[in-house]
Amino acid sequence: MGRLTKRVKPDGDIDVGAFSDVAFLLLIFFILTTTFLQYSGKEVVIPATSKPENKKQQSDKMPSVNMFDGKITYSEDGDNLQDVSYEELQKKLMDLGMHAAEEDQEKMVVLEYDAKVKYSEVYPVITLIADAGGIIVYQEDAE
Amino acid sequence: MAVRRKPKAKILVPLAAMGDIAFLLLIFFMVASNFKQAEAKLEPASSATIEETERPQVIVNVDEEGKVWVQGVETTVGALAYSLEQLIDTRTEVPKFHLMIHKELEKKDFHPVIEAFAEAGVYPILTGQRAEP
């Protein structure tokens, strides 16, 4: 008589230990590769020049910043433009005390630049004026 | 004399629960991540006087080709002022607009965008990279 052998029932259990390992590996991957966006900027006040109420506030005796031929020139009253560096412009704009001014007209700064200027050159000047508390007034360059 | 062995306590770690926790955390990080918009290719300009701002509510990008993107939807410069006014009208309070312009654009490409914001009566936050003073 043959020996009776027990039939081994197949085990239906799934080893879930490996799943958690995979999940943690993916988790670590996303933690390391996720970059949180940081936003840096400056709010700029630029009134619409086409509106009549804004045009009335503009006068000829406003500080003026010009950017032509790669140079920055500045004038406190619209005349006597002087070549300035970025740091000198920052000091002159801060000295105007626009943060303490109550009237918008006292905060207005005329900004002009030629067609060849790139945004990377204009951006620091715009944010500089905004940082000094200025309101930017655009005047088109006569091309 | 027979030595009684202390029966070893069987410690069963519920591995299935750990997998659930791991997947939940994974889903959280996947949902919380912000992915950059693939359509707009632009390099931001740099300035030393900008500072960290809050998260934007409306993002307007002007890419290297001069195309204007409002909340990821391409629009024209001519329609930008109208789009901005529509965004303001549909909300209870004026949202914070973040405007990022590609640094190599010339005046003919970026100036109309800034003018459109002025016409819409919106004061944008010009975003860029912080540069060392």
Side-chain angles (χ1 to χ4, degrees):
Chain A
M1 202 163 153
R3 218 168 33 168
L4 288 171
T5 54
K6 262 189 180 174
R7 210 172 161 191
V8 178
K9 285 183 183 174
D11 193 359
D13 291 339
I14 301 172
D15 186 10
V16 295
F19 281 146
S20 61
D21 287 343
V22 169
F24 276 114
L25 279 170
L26 286 171
L27 184 67
I28 291 166
F29 170 78
F30 275 101
I31 290 172
L32 291 175
T33 56
T34 298
T35 52
F36 293 98
L37 288 174
Q38 289 178 343
Y39 304 96
S40 299
K42 201 77 183 177
E43 186 174 10
V44 293
V45 179
I46 306 175
T49 52
S50 61
K51 291 183 180 169
E53 58 268 24
N54 291 333
K55 280 190 177 174
K56 279 183 194 171
Q57 289 183 348
Q58 296 174 26
S59 72
D60 294 332
K61 299 296 179 185
M62 285 190 294
S64 174
V65 179
N66 293 358
M67 300 177 70
F68 296 117
D69 300 324
K71 290 188 288 187
I72 303 173
T73 53
Y74 171 77
S75 163
E76 196 167 322
D77 55 3
D79 300 320
N80 304 317
L81 289 167
Q82 301 172 354
D83 287 349
V84 292
S85 65
Y86 179 81
E87 290 75 21
E88 288 168 351
L89 177 64
Q90 184 177 25
K91 187 178 183 312
K92 287 182 185 297
L93 289 172
M94 286 297 184
D95 289 343
L96 292 174
M98 290 183 284
H99 279 294
E102 294 178 354
E103 300 289 328
D104 282 350
Q105 193 167 1
E106 296 170 23
K107 300 181 186 181
M108 289 187 173
V109 177
V110 178
L111 177 61
E112 297 181 66
Y113 39 82
D114 59 20
K116 290 176 282 185
V117 74
K118 290 189 178 176
Y119 184 69
S120 56
E121 299 164 4
V122 172
Y123 182 67
V125 175
I126 291 176
T127 54
L128 197 59
I129 297 171
D131 192 47
I135 294 175
I136 297 171
V137 175
Y138 275 112
Q139 283 187 2
E140 289 289 333
D141 173 38
E143 296 173 33
Chain B
M1 198 159 79
V3 177
R4 262 198 186 164
R5 265 189 181 176
K6 217 174 181 180
K8 285 184 184 174
K10 284 187 181 175
I11 302 169
L12 293 171
V13 180
L15 293 175
M18 287 176 67
D20 288 342
I21 293 169
F23 276 114
L24 280 170
L25 286 170
L26 187 66
I27 291 167
F28 169 77
F29 274 100
M30 286 173 68
V31 171
S33 301
N34 287 321
F35 292 97
K36 290 182 185 177
Q37 294 173 351
E39 297 88 356
K41 296 170 193 173
L42 63 88
E43 290 178 35
S46 302
S47 174
T49 53
I50 58 176
E51 53 215 11
E52 276 190 37
T53 64
E54 57 215 359
R55 287 173 66 91
Q57 294 168 318
V58 179
I59 296 177
V60 179
N61 291 331
V62 186
D63 65 12
E64 58 182 4
E65 298 171 9
K67 292 180 188 173
V68 181
W69 302 83
V70 179
Q71 295 286 71
V73 178
E74 189 178 353
T75 183
T76 60
V77 176
L80 179 59
Y82 177 74
S83 301
L84 297 174
E85 287 167 1
Q86 287 291 303
L87 282 165
I88 295 169
D89 290 340
T90 54
R91 299 184 186 217
T92 50
E93 52 183 34
V94 178
K96 292 288 182 187
F97 287 85
H98 279 220
L99 172 60
M100 184 178 287
I101 299 173
H102 185 69
K103 65 179 185 177
E104 295 296 324
L105 289 182
E106 292 182 341
K107 181 185 177 183
K108 62 178 173 60
D109 294 317
F110 70 79
H111 191 75
V113 176
I114 297 175
E115 278 191 329
F117 272 86
E119 289 300 321
V122 175
Y123 301 148
I125 296 173
L126 295 184
T127 54
Q129 276 181 342
R130 290 187 69 179
E132 292 299 317

